[in-house]
Amino acid sequence: MIDLRLLREDPDRVRASQRARGEDVALVDSLLSADERRRSSGVRFDELRAQQRQLGKLIPKASGDEKAELLKKASQLAADVKAADAERDAAAAETQELLAKLGNLVHPDVPIGGEEDFVTLETHGEIRDFAAEGFEPKDHLELGNLLGAIDVERGAKVSGSRFYFLTGVGALLEFALVNAAIAQATAAGFTPMLTPALVRPESMAGTGYLGQDADGVYYLEKDNLYLVGTSEVAIASYHRDEILDADQLPLRYAGFSPCFRREAGSHGKDTRGIFRVHQFDKVEMFSFVDPADSQAEHQRLLEWEKQWLTSLELPFRVIDVASGDLGSSAARKFDCEAWIPTQGKYRELTSTSDCSEFQSRRLSIRVRDGKQVKPLATLNGTLCAVPRTIVALLENHQQADGSVRVPEILRPYLGGREVLEPVAK
């Protein structure tokens, strides 16, 4: 959530951010009104309690009619205090409810607009000319069948649409990707973590995934637990309700977890293969930093993502995501999109978001710097979302006979194998 003081001091900035997101601007005025009622009712409650305490000192000293009159006033005052207390609590609850609906403030450099209004910042690698090489590229599912690596038919039989099995070299390729990604993250100073896939509602809400993204989340009603769509949720909550020392920062974690997404609203999108699925594994980078360092850390996370995709020898571009396509927690987001030959376009493989103080305020994570205690900043960045990375690897490194060249970085994790050979014709 944002700082209420900032809202009071510069409501136009908050309105502009809501407008840029395509969200309800009237929410700002409703929140300002609720906050004013919260503060004024709090002042009234304090005043009435002070009168009540003062009256309590006079009553024992009084007698006769004077005491009776004071007791009558005390009774009325008690009722007024109770009413003021209820009014204060109601206004505070309304303020928190409205504040939770407000997205993070959009960074001023973010391009304004919807999903297609991103700005391309960089392009890396060469897109292969398969026609010049003399063959038509196969898509990842056909390659996966040839390699004995992907089985979506049995995935659908067992679990339904958008589920799959990785088999043989497909499973080995996942393990290779995860191990290589964790090795890179560890070398960069991240602490590797295996994180829970089930979290409490306060963890999901604290990271901002129970707002506009709620329809995409799996919920286990009997247990009052949520299946995470990213290990970001668990890692962000790792230090919930804690005060960290400034000399501990930055704290960087690389979490591995299964991820679950309902993909609500994606009917008809990416129905073939394993690009958009309900369950997948992912290595996620997460940073806790001083707010003054959040933008620099955002660039560092992006550089680590670029390093990863470059090591996989994939052609990709970096985009500055437009305001209307930001998640509620993100002030700014960069995506790295790899070229998918059979789709003839770039598709998102990694994403990194600067959430500034938004999540830490909701999760009550603070940092002590001398005598000052303040919220810190949180950032996240995908290092390797496994299925999408497999899609990009198979399609970009395929050869005319249906085999797939293995990038050098993955070979040590695949027993030195340089090529994945077809097992079926």
Side-chain angles (χ1 to χ4, degrees):
M1 60 185 67
I2 68 168
D3 187 348
L4 272 173
R5 288 176 299 179
L6 189 151
L7 175 72
R8 296 183 208 117
E9 293 169 3
D10 195 357
D12 284 341
R13 180 183 171 193
V14 185
R15 291 188 186 98
S17 178
Q18 283 290 95
R19 194 174 296 111
R21 287 180 172 276
E23 299 290 336
D24 183 12
V25 177
L27 177 61
V28 177
D29 292 314
S30 298
L31 180 53
L32 284 168
S33 176
D35 180 50
E36 176 55 35
R37 290 196 303 276
R38 178 187 67 86
R39 290 187 295 149
S40 61
S41 60
V43 170
R44 174 166 170 75
F45 173 79
D46 291 341
E47 290 173 346
L48 290 171
R49 282 288 291 144
Q51 293 176 33
Q52 196 176 40
R53 286 192 293 270
Q54 185 63 30
L55 195 60
K57 295 176 183 178
L58 297 176
I59 290 174
K61 301 176 183 178
S63 59
D65 291 344
E66 182 185 5
K67 186 168 188 175
E69 183 63 27
L70 289 175
L71 287 170
K72 182 179 177 181
K73 287 183 179 180
S75 177
Q76 180 59 51
L77 199 52
D80 292 343
V81 167
K82 185 177 180 180
D85 190 24
E87 183 181 353
R88 180 188 62 173
D89 288 347
E94 183 183 358
T95 300
Q96 287 302 307
E97 180 182 352
L98 294 172
L99 189 57
K101 294 179 180 178
L102 201 64
N104 200 356
L105 291 181
V106 174
H107 188 280
D109 292 340
V110 169
I112 304 300
E115 183 178 356
E116 300 303 321
D117 295 311
F118 61 84
V119 172
T120 301
L121 301 176
E122 307 170 28
T123 303
H124 297 264
E126 294 294 328
I127 294 174
R128 283 176 67 184
D129 185 347
F130 286 94
E133 295 182 34
F135 73 99
E136 183 78 17
K138 299 175 178 65
D139 75 7
H140 73 279
L141 190 53
E142 187 176 357
L143 291 164
N145 288 332
L146 287 172
L147 297 170
I150 302 170
D151 192 333
V152 295
E153 291 182 359
R154 290 186 176 92
K157 178 179 71 173
V158 171
S159 302
S161 63
R162 299 191 190 275
F163 287 94
Y164 61 97
F165 284 89
L166 292 181
T167 58
V169 294
L172 294 176
L173 188 53
E174 160 147 356
F175 294 138
L177 285 166
V178 170
N179 278 297
I182 290 294
Q184 178 188 302
T186 303
F190 286 80
T191 300
M193 300 180 84
L194 296 174
T195 65
L198 289 164
V199 298
R200 292 176 170 175
E202 49 267 41
S203 295
M204 192 66 79
T207 44
Y209 284 100
L210 290 186
Q212 63 191 44
D213 299 316
D215 288 344
V217 177
Y218 285 103
Y219 175 58
L220 283 64
E221 185 174 2
K222 184 176 180 180
D223 304 287
N224 194 28
L225 292 171
Y226 288 89
L227 284 165
V228 299
T230 166
S231 60
E232 169 196 343
V233 177
I235 301 175
S237 299
Y238 187 63
H239 291 293
R240 192 180 73 205
D241 300 323
E242 294 181 21
I243 298 176
L244 306 174
D245 290 327
D247 58 9
Q248 292 179 263
L249 302 181
L251 285 171
R252 298 188 179 109
Y253 300 107
F256 171 79
S257 78
C259 305
F260 303 88
R261 300 185 183 182
R262 294 183 62 242
E263 292 294 349
S266 66
H267 179 72
K269 295 180 181 178
D270 301 306
T271 55
R272 179 174 169 80
I274 63 170
F275 192 85
R276 189 186 299 273
V277 291
H278 289 308
Q279 177 185 341
F280 61 96
D281 295 326
K282 179 157 68 84
V283 177
E284 181 83 1
M285 300 179 290
F286 197 93
S287 300
F288 295 92
V289 304
D290 187 283
D293 194 37
S294 70
Q295 292 183 50
E297 183 72 4
H298 199 196
Q299 291 294 329
R300 285 188 283 266
L301 289 170
L302 177 59
E303 288 302 317
W304 283 313
E305 291 180 343
K306 289 159 56 180
Q307 176 188 338
W308 171 246
L309 296 179
T310 299
S311 73
L312 294 177
E313 302 170 40
L314 295 173
F316 68 95
R317 70 180 181 186
V318 179
I319 67 168
D320 198 348
V321 176
S323 57
D325 200 28
L326 295 174
S328 63
S329 298
R332 193 176 193 184
K333 182 167 71 167
F334 302 124
D335 285 354
C336 291
E337 300 182 327
W339 179 257
I340 308 298
T342 62
Q343 295 184 22
K345 58 184 175 182
Y346 290 99
R347 300 299 304 274
E348 178 196 336
L349 247 60
T350 72
S351 180
T352 177
S353 297
D354 180 358
C355 297
S356 59
E357 302 169 16
F358 187 83
Q359 292 177 331
S360 67
R361 288 183 181 277
R362 296 165 76 105
L363 294 166
S364 189
I365 309 170
R366 293 164 291 168
V367 59
R368 179 182 287 107
D369 190 358
K371 294 183 179 180
Q372 184 185 21
V373 175
K374 62 182 183 181
L376 44 65
T378 63
L379 302 96
N380 62 80
T382 312
L383 191 52
C384 181
V386 173
R388 292 190 174 197
T389 307
I390 288 177
V391 170
L393 282 173
L394 295 185
E395 294 207 10
N396 281 284
H397 297 317
Q398 65 180 292
Q399 302 181 111
D401 62 355
S403 64
V404 175
R405 186 180 60 83
V406 177
E408 189 171 342
I409 191 175
L410 297 180
R411 293 174 187 174
Y413 304 99
L414 287 167
R417 204 176 317 199
E418 296 182 8
V419 177
L420 305 180
E421 298 285 356
V423 296
K425 297 293 183 183

